[in-house]
Amino acid sequence: MSERNTGLFLPGHVAAADIGALLWQAPGVNPEELRGEEALRVGHGTKDGNAYTHVGLRLFEVGGLLLLDQQEIPAADELERVLGESLSARFGHAVFLFYDEVNAAGGHARFEAGALVSRLMYDARGNVPVRRTLEREEALTGLDPSDWVWVPSANAVEAGAASFLGPGIRDDDDIAKLIAAAAAVAIEPPTRAAPTSGAKGKSGPGGKAEPGAERPSRVRRLLRKLLGR
């Protein structure tokens, strides 16, 4: 995955402040972890008369999308589900697009009105090519060598994009053009006020923090992965 072949897209020109407000308040998200190169990026573009918003996060572009990379649908508190559900609930639609020609994988995850309604992913990055849908993951056999998973992957990307971007978005070059045209800029979270001297966290007997009181956020887990910690 990379910043040219992975993106979250919304219909219309959605204000960056509105997207940021949803992200900063998402369960398990510490806004302070989303600064600098990890900052939220938002941009606006138009394709064939269809206005759209591009939402970029390095966490997804480098760390991957659980929605597309694994058989199980991610838990409700995983960041891509939180964003897809909350953004589509407010703005109607949200779609993650991904296409990697070199490693032979691509597809989409699409949300409508606060619910994940479509997932189609073709993935040949493992030993056996597979297709993932909302219901299952299945191994692919008897593929046409000339098409292999490239054409099905492109079809899957187009199927996800067509709902509000129109036809013709099929591969990494098409996704990259959408991202470039949107010219996203970084949106830093608001500065958090320093806690007062009387503020206390959740603790157990003797004032010690309760084990497991804070579940590491998706952001923190991916940052550790990216930083090799």
Side-chain angles (χ1 to χ4, degrees), residues 141-160:
T141 59
L143 294 169
D144 183 334
S146 61
D147 291 339
W148 200 36
V149 298
W150 290 298
V151 171
S153 294
N155 292 340
V157 171
E158 186 170 33

Side-chain angles (χ1 to χ4, degrees), residues 109-126:
R110 183 166 57 87
F111 295 79
E112 289 184 4
L116 176 62
V117 298
S118 176
R119 178 177 75 158
L120 185 56
M121 174 72 172
Y122 290 83
D123 192 346
R125 293 173 293 183

Side-chain angles (χ1 to χ4, degrees), residues 50 95 97 108 110 155-169:
N50 299 311
V95 63
L97 301 178
H108 78 266
R110 183 166 57 87
N155 292 340
V157 171
E158 186 170 33
S163 59
F164 59 86
L165 289 165
I169 306 301

